[in-house]
Amino acid sequence: MAKVLSTKELFSKKKLKFNVRISQEDWHKKYQTDDLNQLEEMCLKNNTHLTVNDDQSILLEYISPAIIPSRCGKYQVFINSLLPTKQLNPKILNFEDDSEIPEEVVSELNEIAEKITTEISWRKGDILMIDNTRILHGRRSFADDQRDIYIRLCSPAFSF
């Protein structure tokens, strides 16, 4: 009988692989270019493998460890892009060997994240800055058309 690995052991042994297919029209908009050479350069700079299909759609493949050393080197830290990706686009993320990430692992991670969540009681004029290399962070949905939200280097949890 095979030994069942803990989530930490599993992520120590297996890397994550993100595979995204993007139509020609959509990658032109997303990357604000129609120049394949420029797109290839962007992918190289970001350690992303690019495949261009006959219809000029693209396939992007990015491989990343799920656990990395912290900047200070004292701790191993979890790369939480797994959680929103599995929620929003579950088919694009597997392990590097193309095996699926078990649902019980995703559930365990979501339970832990919820357990350690601290809600922010926002007041007018508040600003929150987070070092996302040290803090697992996210956002809850909200409805407030009088509120300005500025986000840098992430995907918003709402449409503009």
Side-chain angles (χ1 to χ4, degrees):
M1 186 168 150
K3 178 186 172 201
V4 176
L5 298 176
S6 71
T7 298
K8 186 175 180 179
E9 290 172 317
L10 183 64
F11 286 149
S12 294
K13 294 181 183 316
K14 290 187 165 198
K15 291 182 178 180
L16 302 174
K17 180 166 69 173
F18 297 81
N19 271 312
V20 181
R21 183 183 169 104
I22 306 174
S23 72
Q24 180 182 25
E25 180 183 355
D26 287 347
W27 71 257
H28 285 185
K29 283 184 209 170
K30 181 176 180 109
Y31 299 106
Q32 299 180 1
T33 185
D34 59 2
D35 183 343
L36 275 171
N37 292 325
Q38 191 175 3
L39 181 62
E40 286 173 348
E41 190 176 312
M42 284 185 241
C43 289
L44 279 173
K45 285 180 182 176
N46 291 290
N47 298 318
T48 302
H49 182 264
L50 168 67
T51 302
V52 180
N53 300 307
D54 291 340
D55 63 357
Q56 297 298 295
S57 65
I58 59 170
L59 178 65
L60 300 176
E61 180 181 281
Y62 179 73
I63 297 174
S64 172
I67 299 173
I68 62 170
S70 65
R71 282 191 179 170
C72 66
K74 291 182 182 179
Y75 311 100
Q76 293 291 309
V77 294
F78 170 66
I79 303 301
N80 78 320
S81 56
L82 180 151
L83 295 174
T85 302
K86 286 307 265 181
Q87 180 182 5
L88 299 172
N89 298 298
K91 293 182 186 336
I92 71 168
L93 177 59
N94 288 307
F95 286 117
E96 183 178 17
D97 63 5
D98 290 323
S99 62
E100 290 195 21
I101 299 166
E103 186 54 43
E104 57 270 13
V105 168
V106 176
S107 292
E108 176 188 355
L109 294 171
N110 277 315
E111 285 173 25
I112 292 168
E114 196 60 38
K115 187 174 161 182
I116 62 174
T117 294
T118 299
E119 298 286 341
I120 306 296
S121 297
W122 292 96
R123 293 185 316 227
K124 186 174 182 169
D126 282 354
I127 295 173
L128 176 65
M129 296 176 68
I130 297 174
D131 178 348
N132 67 358
T133 67
R134 299 182 58 129
I135 296 177
L136 180 66
H137 65 284
R139 63 201 63 78
R140 303 271 192 227
S141 63
F142 64 90
D144 184 349
D145 61 3
Q146 300 299 308
R147 186 170 157 188
D148 292 326
I149 304 292
Y150 299 93
I151 299 174
R152 184 167 184 253
L153 299 174
C154 68
S155 298
F158 53 90
S159 60
F160 321 163

